[in-house]
Every structure is written in C-alpha cells, then in structure tokens.
C-alpha cells in the first residue's frame, strides 16, 4: 500500500529545498543543463570526462542511482522536458507516428515543457543541440517551428550528427558541411553556449541554458585531435559480454546469434573507442562553459546539471551495439549537479529519474513544480539532512518506479533477407536490437531492503523477467520461476498502478515488501 505524506514533514523538506535556491544571492540563480546522448555509466561512460568530474562532480553531488524511464532517445527526452512518464506525454518511440515531435506533442506536452514554466518565472532561455529525433522534419513544421518557451533557439534538425546537418537558428535553417573548424557540432554548440553566456551581465535577467550534445551517439565521429585517443581500449568484458541470453530471457535476446562473430566484437570495440573520443569534446564544452560563467561572475550563482538521455550496451547478451533493453546498462545514466547551497564532493545513493529533472529546474528557478509532472524535485536530496533522511526507505523518497519501452519493427529489413518483418535496428551482421514484441513495462525497486527489477512483456508469451540485482548485478539469472506467487502478484499490482499513474499518484512513496519465498 502507498503511504500518505506527512504534511508537516513535507513542508519542512520542501522548504529546505527552497533554501538551496536562494542561499548565495538575493537574485534568482542561473541554471545550466548539459545533456549528452546515449552516455552510459555501467560501461565506464564517465571515464573520459575528467574535467567534467572535477568541475561539476567535485563541486557538487553525484548520483550513483540515476535512471531513465525509457532507454530510448525521444521518449526519454520527452520525459526530461515534461517531467512525465511516457503514458502521460505519449511520445512512445523515435517516430512521428510514435509521438516524437509529432503534431500531438506540439499541441499538447510541448506547450507545458520545462522551458515554458521557467520563462514565466522571468528567465531568459537558451537551447542548443539535439531536441527530439524528428524535430525539424517537413511533416512537423520544418526548422521554422521553434518550440515555445525558448528565447534563443539553435536546434538540430533530426537525429545526432557531427557533420553535414542543418540547425534551426531561431527558426531559420542553417546548413553545415564537413569542415572541422566551422561544422563539428559539439564545438559549434560550445561556441553558441559561450557566446550566450558572454552576452549576459550581472544586471541581466537570470538565464536557463540547455545544451544537448550529439555525443556519444552514432555515427560516433570524434574530433580530429582526438581520433587516436584510447587506441588500446576495448568494450568492457562484463559478465554478460558475448554471453547467450539463454531460455530465461525474452524472445529477442533468446534469438540473438551467439557467440558473436569476430567482426561484431571488433565493431563493438571500435564503437567503444569512438564513443569515448567524442566525449572528449563534451569535456571541452563543459570546461569552456564553466570558464565563461566564472569570467562573467555568474558561476557562484549558477546551478550546473549534467546527465544523459539513456545508457548503452556493447556486446552484452551478444547484442553488438544499441540501447532499448531493460537491463542496467541501458537504463542507468550519469547525473551530477553543482550550485549554491549544494553539498560539495558528495555521492548520493538515492534513486532519481529523468522525470525529476524538469520539476527540479522549476523549483531551482523559484517556482512550484506543476501537478502535471510525475517526477519530484531532487532539491531535498542536495543537502546532507535530505540525503540522510532518505536512508531506511521512509516516506521522504521513492523506493520504486516505472521503466517502459515500446518496440519497433520494420516491414523490410534491408540487407538482411533471412530476417522476417517485425524486427529492426539489425546491425552489424544482421543482429537485431529491437522488434515489435520487444515491448515491456517494469517496476524497478531500490531501497535498503530491496534491489529488484520486475518486467512484463506485451507479447504472445506474456513473458516475465525478474532479477535480484543486489545478488546478480549483471542480470544473468531470471528468477521469476523461483519466487513465491504472492511476490509476483504484488509486483504485478504495483506495475499496473505505476503504468496508469499521473501526478501525485506517481510521486507517492511505496514501502510494502513481500518475501521472495526462496
């Protein structure tokens, strides 16, 4: 059963969060949000970011348990912007028909995204980089469409690219080619961000700046000065690397060819190196942004948030490269934050989500998180007393949450004639990373008493996977047939609640535990 919030305790917690946003200045703080693309933490995705770790992590709080509610770009980004689960913002996948930057999105959720709330609070707003995968397509208004709430808009048309792309600069298309100095996208975004900061004075309104880099998404193109870094590195040989999923995994994993071909392993290793190389340019971006904030005397009154839209895998369960799976490598991402009143050089174990980013930004800006948002502001966790109050899994913070993916399949699989319709993303060697029946909903539970992942598939098998992640962090062993029926019934009931929740009902802490019966 869900526990009721203690109103006095809730008031005190929220007030402690509000004090964070006003500790160092009587003026409103600035907010900078840097978002990477497909950056994992399980496979060492933070390793190349030495300057970022120093400039943000060591000056603030790092969250070891940051999760996305969907391991796919457009659904996750839509959740980041709206603070809502997929079933509320309805961007189910990366296609226009699936809700990505669709007319329905533009007419509804986009008008209630974080930028619109912060703008109403008196902020000057700036966006540069990848927005949503289908942004700027002719069917959805082209680059002339500028999402509401943004004063300055430099939006990438379509999906991540490093060269040969089009930017919408305040609604005007700007084409770029393949010359490093004038076109490498991560650096172009850095220049736009630094220029915007340099234009702000101490007398300017507070600003909210979001920079969404292409790194480390495909096509994994590093800047020329970094093309030879990490030459001896390989994709981490985790326990699940080049491992057969076995009969206890869902259909897609069961049918993944095993062992991996040498060419697939080599491709995974090459992609791993190039992903890290692209992140070195992100590290430069963070460094230059912080320097510009410092030079302009904004740094001490600015919150800087760093995160990613989803994780990634490279050879886990013999899948060469992608995301979209329910496992930890695809749903865990980095998150760190620094700013006035935030603890310095601390690590938090509290579970936070991509749907928490929007309400956090709104409250940092001095507003109240809208009731329509399913996430919760993490401000109470940024002070020592807020973090300690979470330990023990009490009513102050969540202990479980929803993770979903809606699988996609193609009618024609180009270059793979042996494959039947219904699968997609078949690369390399015709190994498929997604399918129509790769559709699932999960309850991820994380507290002092439980560390579990329970998932139900929407397929003809009604397949179920259950992992005790504390004992089995690589999720090698599906224990669904070993636990008590009562435990499974409770997990199913909780999944139904979360899959239909909205606002307050999504934010309620849940503390009931049932013995596994092992």
């Amino acid at each position: 059963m869900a526990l009721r919030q203690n109103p006095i305790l809730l008031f005190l917690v929220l007030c402690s969060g509000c004090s964070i946003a006003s500790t160092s200045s009587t003026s409103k703080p600035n907010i900078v949000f840097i978002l990477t693309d497909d950056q994992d933490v399980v496979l060492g995705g933070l390793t190349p970011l030495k300057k970022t770790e120093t400039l943000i992590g060591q000056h603030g709080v790092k969250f070891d348990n940051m999760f996305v509610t969907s391991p796919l770009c457009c659904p996750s980004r839509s959740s980041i912007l709206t603070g809502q689960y997929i079933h509320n913002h309805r961007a189910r996948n990366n296609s226009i028909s699936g809700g990505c930057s669709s007319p329905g999105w533009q007419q509804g959720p986009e008008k209630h995204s974080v930028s619109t709330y912060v703008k109403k609070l008196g902020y000057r707003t700036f966006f540069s980089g990848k927005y949503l995968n289908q942004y700027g397509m002719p069917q959805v208004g082209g680059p002339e469409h500028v999402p509401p709430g943004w004063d300055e808009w430099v939006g990438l048309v379509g999906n991540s690219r490093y060269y040969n792309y089009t930017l919408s600069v305040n609604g005007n298309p700007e084409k770029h080619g393949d010359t490093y100095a004038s076109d490498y996208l991560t650096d172009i975004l850095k220049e736009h961000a630094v220029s915007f900061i340099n234009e702000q004075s101490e007398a300017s309104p507070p600003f909210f700046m979001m920079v969404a880099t292409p790194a480390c998404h495909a096509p994994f193109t590093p800047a020329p000065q970094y093309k030879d870094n990490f030459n001896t590195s390989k994709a981490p040989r985790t326990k699940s690397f080049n491992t057969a999923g076995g009969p206890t995994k869902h259909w897609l994993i069961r049918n993944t060819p095993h062992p991996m071909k040498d060419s697939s392993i080599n491709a995974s290793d090459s992609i791993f190196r190039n992903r890290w190389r692209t992140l070195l340019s992100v590290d430069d971006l963070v460094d230059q942004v912080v320097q510009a904030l410092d030079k302009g005397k904004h740094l001490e009154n600015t919150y800087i948030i760093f995160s990613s839209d989803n994780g990634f895998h490279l050879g886990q369960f013999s899948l060469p490269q992608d995301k979209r799976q329910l496992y930890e490598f695809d749903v865990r991402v980095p998150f760190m934050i620094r700013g006035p009143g935030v603890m310095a050089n601390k690590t938090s174990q509290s579970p936070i989500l991509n749907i928490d980013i929007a309400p956090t930004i709104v409250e940092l800006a001095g507003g109240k998180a809208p009731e329509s948002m399913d996430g919760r502001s993490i401000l109470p966790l940024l002070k020592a007393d807020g973090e300690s109050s979470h330990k023990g899994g009490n009513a102050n913070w969540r202990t479980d949450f929803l993770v979903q993916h809606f699988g996609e399949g193609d009618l024609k699989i180009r270059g793979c004639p042996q494959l039947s319709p219904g699968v997609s993303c078949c690369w390399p060697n015709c190994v498929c990373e997604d399918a129509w029946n790769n559709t699932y909903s999960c309850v991820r539970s994380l507290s002092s008493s439980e560390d579990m992942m329970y998932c139900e598939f929407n397929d003809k098998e009604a397949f179920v996977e259950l992992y005790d992640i504390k004992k089995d962090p690589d999720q090698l062993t599906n224990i669904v047939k070993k636990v008590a029926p009562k435990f499974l019934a409770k997990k199913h009931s909780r999944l139904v609640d979360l899959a239909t929740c909205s606002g307050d009902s999504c934010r309620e802490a849940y503390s009931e535990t049932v013995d596994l019966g092992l």
Side-chain angles (χ1 to χ4, degrees):
M1 61 181 289
L3 298 180
R4 292 185 178 180
Q5 299 282 3
N6 181 318
I8 297 176
L9 178 60
L10 182 60
F11 173 79
L12 290 174
V13 169
L14 289 178
C15 281
S16 69
C18 292
S19 68
I20 291 176
S22 59
T23 50
S24 69
S25 174
T26 55
S27 63
K28 289 185 175 182
N30 306 305
I31 305 165
V32 173
F33 176 28
I34 298 169
L35 181 69
T36 56
D37 199 349
D38 286 5
Q39 187 182 6
D40 67 278
V41 288
V42 173
L43 303 185
L46 275 174
T47 304
L49 299 181
K50 304 300 183 186
K51 290 179 280 192
T52 302
E53 292 257 26
T54 298
L55 294 170
I56 304 178
Q58 291 184 18
H59 285 80
V61 180
K62 289 178 61 178
F63 284 80
D64 283 347
N65 293 311
M66 169 64 177
F67 296 86
V68 295
T69 54
S70 175
L72 187 62
C73 296
C74 198
S76 179
R77 287 167 181 264
S78 300
S79 290
I80 288 169
L81 291 164
T82 62
Q84 293 181 324
Y85 281 124
I86 295 175
H87 60 270
N88 289 324
H89 64 62
R90 301 184 183 278
R92 292 158 55 102
N93 56 45
N94 287 344
S95 67
I96 294 175
S97 61
C100 182
S101 202
S102 66
W105 161 266
Q106 292 177 7
Q107 294 161 14
E110 188 173 68
K111 293 182 178 180
H112 305 283
S113 63
V114 64
S115 60
T116 64
Y117 292 107
V118 173
K119 177 66 177 171
K120 289 177 182 177
L121 292 169
Y123 274 70
R124 183 162 182 78
T125 57
F126 168 91
F127 179 92
S128 67
K130 176 178 172 178
Y131 180 58
L132 301 174
N133 297 55
Q134 298 296 334
Y135 169 74
M137 296 294 107
Q139 309 94 303
V140 292
E144 293 76 21
H145 171 70
V146 176
W150 300 105
D151 295 309
E152 298 291 334
W153 175 259
V154 185
L156 174 67
V157 174
N159 205 356
S160 281
R161 302 286 292 272
Y162 299 85
Y163 295 108
N164 299 307
Y165 55 85
T166 298
L167 294 175
S168 167
V169 181
N170 296 320
N172 299 306
E174 178 182 283
K175 293 187 179 296
H176 283 259
D178 57 4
T179 302
Y180 170 70
S182 58
D183 301 311
Y184 189 72
L185 183 53
T186 305
D187 287 357
I188 297 303
L189 301 181
K190 175 183 65 180
E191 292 169 8
H192 278 286
V194 169
S195 177
F196 175 80
I197 294 169
N198 289 342
E199 291 170 1
Q200 313 309 309
S201 70
E202 294 184 73
S204 300
F207 59 84
F208 167 50
M209 182 171 78
M210 182 172 174
V211 183
T213 76
C216 46
H217 193 284
F220 318 115
T221 309
Q225 68 268 31
Y226 296 131
K227 64 183 179 62
D228 294 322
N229 287 62
F230 311 118
N231 276 342
T232 61
S233 299
K234 294 183 177 181
R237 270 44 173 178
T238 63
K239 289 183 179 180
S240 60
F241 181 86
N242 197 15
T243 296
T248 68
K249 290 284 192 294
H250 61 279
W251 178 89
L252 184 68
I253 305 296
R254 290 201 308 270
N255 286 274
T256 297
H258 175 79
M260 295 170 67
K261 291 185 178 180
D262 288 345
S263 55
S264 287
I265 293 175
N266 291 337
S268 295
D269 288 338
S270 176
I271 291 168
F272 176 79
R273 288 188 287 270
N274 280 327
R275 280 166 53 84
W276 273 19
R277 290 163 179 158
T278 66
L279 287 170
L280 293 175
S281 293
V282 176
D283 214 27
D284 293 339
L285 183 154
V286 172
D287 181 36
Q288 291 298 308
V289 164
V290 172
Q291 285 192 41
L293 290 169
D294 192 27
K295 183 179 178 181
K297 299 181 180 179
H298 306 297
L299 185 58
E300 295 306 311
N301 194 37
T302 299
Y303 291 93
I304 307 176
I305 302 168
F306 181 92
S307 194
S308 175
D309 59 357
N310 51 255
F312 209 73
H313 58 257
L314 288 163
Q316 282 62 46
F317 298 120
S318 298
L319 295 168
Q321 63 102 5
D322 200 50
K323 50 263 185 177
R324 306 169 207 263
Q325 300 302 319
L326 60 95
Y327 309 110
E328 296 286 279
F329 39 72
D330 284 356
V331 300
R332 281 183 179 267
V333 296
F335 188 95
M336 58 186 86
I337 178 171
R338 66 171 286 177
V342 175
M343 294 184 293
N345 200 23
K346 299 293 183 181
T347 301
S348 172
Q349 300 303 317
S350 299
I352 64 171
L353 309 175
N354 57 353
I355 59 174
D356 297 335
I357 294 174
T360 298
I361 290 172
V362 171
E363 291 199 1
L364 286 173
K368 183 180 185 297
E371 290 300 314
S372 62
M373 291 185 177
D374 304 328
R376 299 180 63 180
S377 167
I378 69 166
L379 266 63
L381 303 179
L382 302 181
K383 296 180 68 175
D385 55 351
E387 173 64 11
S388 61
S389 70
H390 161 70
K391 293 178 180 177
N394 58 37
N396 289 338
W397 200 249
R398 68 169 59 88
T399 56
D400 63 2
F401 51 89
L402 180 68
V403 176
Q404 290 183 301
H405 176 68
F406 295 85
E408 297 177 79
D410 293 334
L411 292 174
K412 288 187 177 181
I413 312 299
R414 294 180 178 85
C416 299
Q418 73 274 28
L419 298 177
S420 58
V423 294
S424 66
C425 306
C426 302
W427 54 52
N429 293 318
C430 296
V431 178
C432 299
E433 299 276 358
D434 205 7
W436 280 327
N437 64 357
N438 183 39
T439 296
Y440 56 81
S441 298
C442 306
V443 178
R444 179 70 171 90
S445 305
L446 183 57
S447 67
S448 59
S449 59
E450 188 172 282
D451 192 354
M452 308 286 292
M453 184 71 146
Y454 171 86
C455 300
E456 296 180 0
F457 280 78
N458 184 16
D459 59 16
K460 65 181 181 180
E461 299 176 318
F463 205 78
V464 178
E465 295 190 26
L466 174 67
Y467 299 96
D468 186 340
I469 296 175
K470 185 174 183 180
K471 295 180 180 178
D472 179 22
D474 291 278
Q475 294 163 286
L476 300 172
T477 305
N478 179 6
I479 60 173
V480 68
K481 293 184 178 180
K482 300 178 181 179
V483 302
K486 184 178 180 181
F487 179 87
L488 298 178
K490 289 292 183 182
K491 287 297 180 187
H492 171 77
S493 176
R494 181 58 176 157
L495 181 57
V496 170
D497 288 344
L498 283 170
T500 56
C501 73
S502 178
D504 280 343
S505 60
C506 300
R507 294 189 291 270
E508 290 179 342
Y510 184 83
S511 65
E512 185 172 19
T513 58
V514 179
D515 188 86
L516 289 171
L518 295 175

